[in-house]
């Protein structure tokens, strides 16, 4: 979502970075462009003005540290200011759910994604915090709104309040409270009705429900694509009902991302979560430092490591590590790596979080590499026999024809896959040998070992410079077979650090 802003800012900083000392004029010129970039990204004028003023005060006349260039200095100041603008009090992901059953009230306009977000948060509370959750739909206006929540509840294994026709929202809220108390639930979530715009009836209804439920959290769900109007919505809801936090949805869309910056600055309300798609696990805690890093193209290694940890089984990783150390890497291993990549949000998902990769993601797209390639590659591996997967060296022309035909692909595509497999196999061998598997072992241990380092520590241990060098190195490679990138979470971090040094 922040791509446009990211592109504009990195262009400004690229020009600055090439200079030796930082003069006041340089800062002014750069910041003029930063302001234009912010306004184009749909950040409101007062917020953009304050932002630039703050950066200018910090940057002008500041002694440039010897080890870094003036441009990097400005990037750091802009990064810190972005973080300060986006940060709210306390941990954004920690919801106040102390005395059971704790009510959470979901409010917002129609079509902002309230019902889906309610289900996503319920799933998160159930799986991450082990809470028993009850969801209740108070939307008596929209056709099938209650049924939608019931279906989502079935999908994620969370209970929903039985539907009783003819009740008004306040009656449903009271029934939800009673059932949550009697049923021993930790949390009950009230999904209120929306309107196309804020009107007296909507506010009155939400306020009546608030008075009955006395919620511990009132989360305002806002569509990230609505731009500056989202700020007005947040201000209005907060004034009339009282909001404890904001959830921005559709952050995977092509909106301009400025609403997030403005909303935090204008309303003073913390952004707690961001929705990144339709799937039930496509919700992330809003981490200002990481978001600022992504906007400035610094990548977000911590999120990458966390994603890897969530999607990889520890035993499976141990098993693979032992194989890699022996230099064994067959088609079954490659298939697991490709599937891993898919789970972590595909090529774009992984690249978006890596330093220096933001610009490259576009090149990769232009080269015709999209995430459908992963699906095709997995199909080709599935089209092989067990024997062929275990030992790809036995593949001659006739077998190749059969496999390609079985997956509905050309033999040329299969040859690309085999080449990628060979390159990855070579890389695994080298990594396995480094200090008797030291490099690989450390990475694996960090990702899955009990008592291993946290994602933050792991990220700190990865050298962004080496990763950026690796990104550039990969930029020179063809779009077809990107060796090592089938590696998903398993080989990405160590593999890429290795890339920069190996070449």
């Amino acid at each position: 979502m922040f791509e446009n802003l990211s592109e504009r800012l990195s262009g400004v900083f690229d020009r600055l970075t090439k200079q030796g000392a930082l003069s006041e004029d340089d800062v002014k010129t750069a910041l003029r462009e930063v302001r234009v970039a912010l306004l184009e990204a749909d950040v409101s004028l007062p917020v953009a003005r304050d932002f630039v003023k703050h950066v200018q005060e910090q940057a002008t006349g500041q002694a440039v540290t010897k080890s870094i260039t003036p441009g990097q200095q400005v990037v750091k100041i802009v990064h810190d200011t972005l973080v300060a603008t986006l940060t709210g009090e306390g941990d954004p992901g920690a919801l106040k759910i102390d005395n059971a059953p704790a009510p959470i009230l979901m409010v917002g306009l129609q079509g902002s994604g309230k019902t889906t977000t309610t289900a996503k948060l319920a799933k998160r509370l159930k799986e991450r915090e082990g809470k028993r959750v009850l969801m209740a739909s108070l939307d008596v206006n929209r056709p099938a709104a209650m049924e939608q929540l019931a279906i989502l509840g079935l999908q994620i294994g969370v209970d929903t309040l039985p539907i009783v026709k003819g009740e008004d929202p306040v009656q449903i809220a009271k029934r939800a409270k009673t059932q949550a108390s009697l049923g021993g639930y930790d949390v009950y979530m009230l999904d209120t009705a929306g309107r196309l715009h804020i009107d007296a009836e909507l506010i009155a209804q939400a306020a009546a429900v608030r008075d009955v439920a006395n919620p511990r959290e009132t989360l305002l769900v806002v569509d990230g694509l609505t731009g500056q109007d989202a700020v007005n919505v947040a201000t209005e809801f907060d004034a009339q009902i009282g909001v404890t936090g904001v959830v921005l949805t559709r952050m995977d869309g092509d909106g301009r991302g400025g609403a997030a910056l403005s909303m935090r600055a204008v309303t003073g309300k913390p952004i707690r979560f961001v929705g990144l798609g339709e799937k039930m696990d496509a919700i992330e805690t809003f981490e200002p430092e990481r978001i600022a890093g992504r906007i400035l193209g610094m990548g977000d290694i911590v999120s990458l490591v966390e994603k890897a940890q969530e999607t990889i089984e520890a035993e499976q990783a141990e098993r693979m590590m032992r194989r890699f150390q022996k230099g064994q890497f067959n088609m079954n291993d490659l298939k697991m790596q490709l599937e891993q990549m898919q789970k972590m949000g595909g090529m774009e998902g992984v690249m978006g979080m890596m330093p220096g990769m933001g610009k490259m993601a576009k090149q990769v797209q232009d080269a015709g590499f999209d995430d459908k390639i992963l699906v095709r590659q997995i199909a080709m591996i599935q089209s092989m026999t067990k024997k062929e997967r275990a030992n790809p060296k036995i593949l001659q022309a006739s077998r190749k024809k059969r496999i390609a035909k079985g997956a509905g692909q050309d033999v040329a595509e299969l040859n690309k896959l085999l080449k990628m497999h060979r390159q990855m196999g070579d890389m695994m061998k080298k990594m396995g040998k480094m200090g008797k598997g030291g490099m690989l072992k450390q990475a694996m241990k960090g990702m899955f070992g009990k008592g291993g380092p946290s994602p933050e520590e792991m990220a700190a241990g990865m050298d962004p410079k080496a990763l950026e060098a690796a990104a550039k190195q990969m930029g020179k490679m063809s779009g077809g077979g990107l060796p090592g990138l089938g590696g998903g979470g398993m080989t990405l971090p160590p593999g890429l650090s290795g890339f920069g040094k190996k070449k």
Side-chain angles (χ1 to χ4, degrees):
M1 180 159 203
F2 295 107
E3 263 172 31
N4 302 356
L5 181 57
S6 185
E7 261 171 49
R8 284 298 302 261
L9 290 178
S10 58
V12 176
F13 299 136
D14 282 350
R15 285 194 289 284
L16 262 184
T17 312
K18 295 177 177 70
Q19 297 175 1
L22 200 58
S23 71
E24 199 167 332
D25 287 347
D26 292 334
V27 175
K28 273 189 178 156
T29 314
L31 289 183
R32 198 175 301 129
E33 290 197 46
V34 168
R35 187 167 70 215
V36 172
L38 289 171
L39 293 173
E40 281 185 356
D42 212 6
V43 176
S44 64
L45 182 62
V47 176
R49 208 178 271 144
D50 289 350
F51 185 91
V52 168
K53 188 176 156 204
H54 184 78
V55 175
Q56 190 155 5
E57 283 166 8
Q58 298 270 312
T60 310
Q62 190 178 54
V64 175
T65 319
K66 277 182 187 168
S67 59
I68 61 171
T69 65
Q72 286 167 335
Q73 188 103 350
V74 176
V75 171
K76 172 149 182 25
I77 295 165
V78 171
H79 177 262
D80 293 346
T81 312
L82 268 177
V83 173
T85 308
L86 290 168
T87 304
E89 292 84 52
D91 174 8
L95 294 168
K96 290 192 204 83
I97 38 179
D98 31 26
N99 45 347
I104 295 179
L105 185 63
M106 307 293 285
V107 296
L109 296 183
Q110 199 168 323
S112 59
K114 269 195 312 301
T115 305
T116 312
T117 304
T118 304
K120 284 181 183 178
L121 283 175
K123 181 176 191 277
R124 190 185 167 95
L125 286 171
K126 176 190 155 195
E127 290 177 1
R128 294 205 178 185
E129 299 181 34
K131 301 289 182 194
R132 281 198 70 204
V133 185
L134 175 71
M135 299 191 293
S137 173
L138 313 189
D139 193 343
V140 291
N141 308 335
R142 185 165 64 90
M146 295 178 158
E147 286 79 359
Q148 182 192 352
L149 192 65
I151 289 166
L152 290 174
L154 277 175
Q155 273 177 24
I156 58 173
V158 169
D159 296 340
T160 46
L161 189 72
I163 299 168
V164 175
K165 297 288 178 195
E167 285 189 333
D168 66 24
V170 173
Q171 288 170 316
I172 301 172
K174 284 179 179 166
R175 193 158 56 89
K177 189 176 185 176
T178 312
Q179 181 144 338
S181 306
L182 296 174
Y185 290 95
D186 300 306
V187 182
Y188 65 101
M189 302 184 73
L190 303 172
D191 175 26
T192 61
R195 292 278 189 289
L196 293 175
H197 54 85
I198 297 171
D199 59 18
E201 195 185 340
L202 167 72
I203 295 292
Q205 197 182 79
V209 171
R210 177 202 60 196
D211 295 342
V212 169
N214 201 6
R216 300 290 290 129
E217 293 275 4
T218 303
L219 297 178
L220 171 66
V221 183
V222 179
D223 184 342
L225 300 183
T226 49
Q228 284 315 300
D229 198 42
V231 181
N232 307 334
V233 171
T235 314
E236 189 72 23
F237 264 103
D238 186 40
Q240 305 284 349
I241 294 167
V243 170
T244 59
V246 177
V247 182
L248 278 178
T249 58
R250 298 204 202 156
M251 292 291 277
D252 54 329
D254 53 3
R256 289 173 294 186
L261 279 171
S262 307
M263 189 169 312
R264 175 72 200 98
V266 175
T267 64
K269 294 296 161 199
I271 298 167
R272 307 289 290 273
F273 298 97
V274 287
L276 301 158
E278 286 299 311
K279 288 185 180 166
M280 284 292 110
D281 50 5
I283 189 163
E284 274 183 19
T285 313
F286 185 81
E287 303 280 0
E289 290 215 0
R290 302 183 192 181
I291 298 275
R294 281 193 218 181
I295 291 177
L296 296 178
M298 294 174 175
D300 180 0
I301 304 251
V302 182
S303 287
L304 188 63
V305 175
E306 276 183 355
K307 265 212 161 108
Q309 282 185 340
E310 277 173 30
T311 54
I312 303 171
E313 300 290 322
E315 288 167 25
Q316 178 185 324
E318 278 287 322
R319 219 170 31 245
M320 285 191 88
M321 185 180 80
R322 286 197 293 273
R323 290 176 52 75
F324 294 166
Q325 280 178 326
K326 291 177 192 162
Q328 295 170 337
F329 183 74
N330 64 23
M331 281 294 174
N332 290 319
D333 298 318
L334 179 60
K335 178 170 171 269
M336 266 165 71
Q337 302 267 305
L338 292 170
E339 285 169 345
Q340 181 60 36
M341 190 83 171
Q342 272 184 317
K343 282 185 202 162
M344 288 175 66
M347 187 78 164
E348 283 178 47
V350 173
M351 281 187 135
M353 295 181 194
M354 296 197 57
M357 283 287 204
K359 297 176 193 168
M360 237 196 78
K362 273 223 159 55
Q363 292 171 19
V364 171
Q365 262 181 341
D366 297 343
F369 190 108
D370 63 16
D371 291 331
K372 288 182 190 141
I373 286 188
L374 298 177
V375 179
R376 293 199 289 271
Q377 290 179 332
I378 292 168
M380 284 189 279
I381 298 174
Q382 281 170 333
S383 174
M384 297 175 188
T385 63
K386 277 186 182 173
K387 198 173 169 186
E388 287 165 345
R389 283 188 219 179
N391 183 13
K393 287 178 184 162
I394 63 172
L395 296 177
Q396 312 98 356
S398 58
R399 285 179 188 249
K400 283 184 183 175
K401 268 186 198 162
R402 189 203 80 243
I403 292 164
K405 194 176 176 186
Q409 299 297 317
D410 298 333
V411 175
E413 288 296 318
L414 179 60
N415 285 334
K416 271 187 200 168
L417 177 73
L418 293 169
K419 183 183 174 189
M420 174 172 144
H421 168 261
R422 280 196 302 277
Q423 287 174 322
M424 281 180 71
D426 293 345
M427 196 174 85
M428 296 296 174
K429 269 183 203 157
K430 281 183 185 167
M431 279 168 55
K433 283 174 192 163
M434 278 185 201
K436 289 190 179 163
M439 189 182 192
L440 191 63
K441 207 164 197 168
Q442 274 310 100
M444 291 288 189
K445 192 179 164 198
M447 292 229 180
F448 335 88
K450 288 191 176 69
S454 69
E456 282 79 2
E457 289 164 336
M458 268 222 39
M462 289 179 204
D463 178 9
K465 291 258 167 39
L467 286 165
E468 241 175 291
K472 288 188 180 116
Q473 186 60 46
M474 287 172 60
K476 294 171 192 168
M477 294 185 187
S478 63
L482 283 165
L485 265 181
M490 206 87 66
T491 55
L492 246 170
L496 280 173
S497 332
F499 251 125
K501 294 165 192 157
K502 201 170 73 218
K503 288 280 172 184

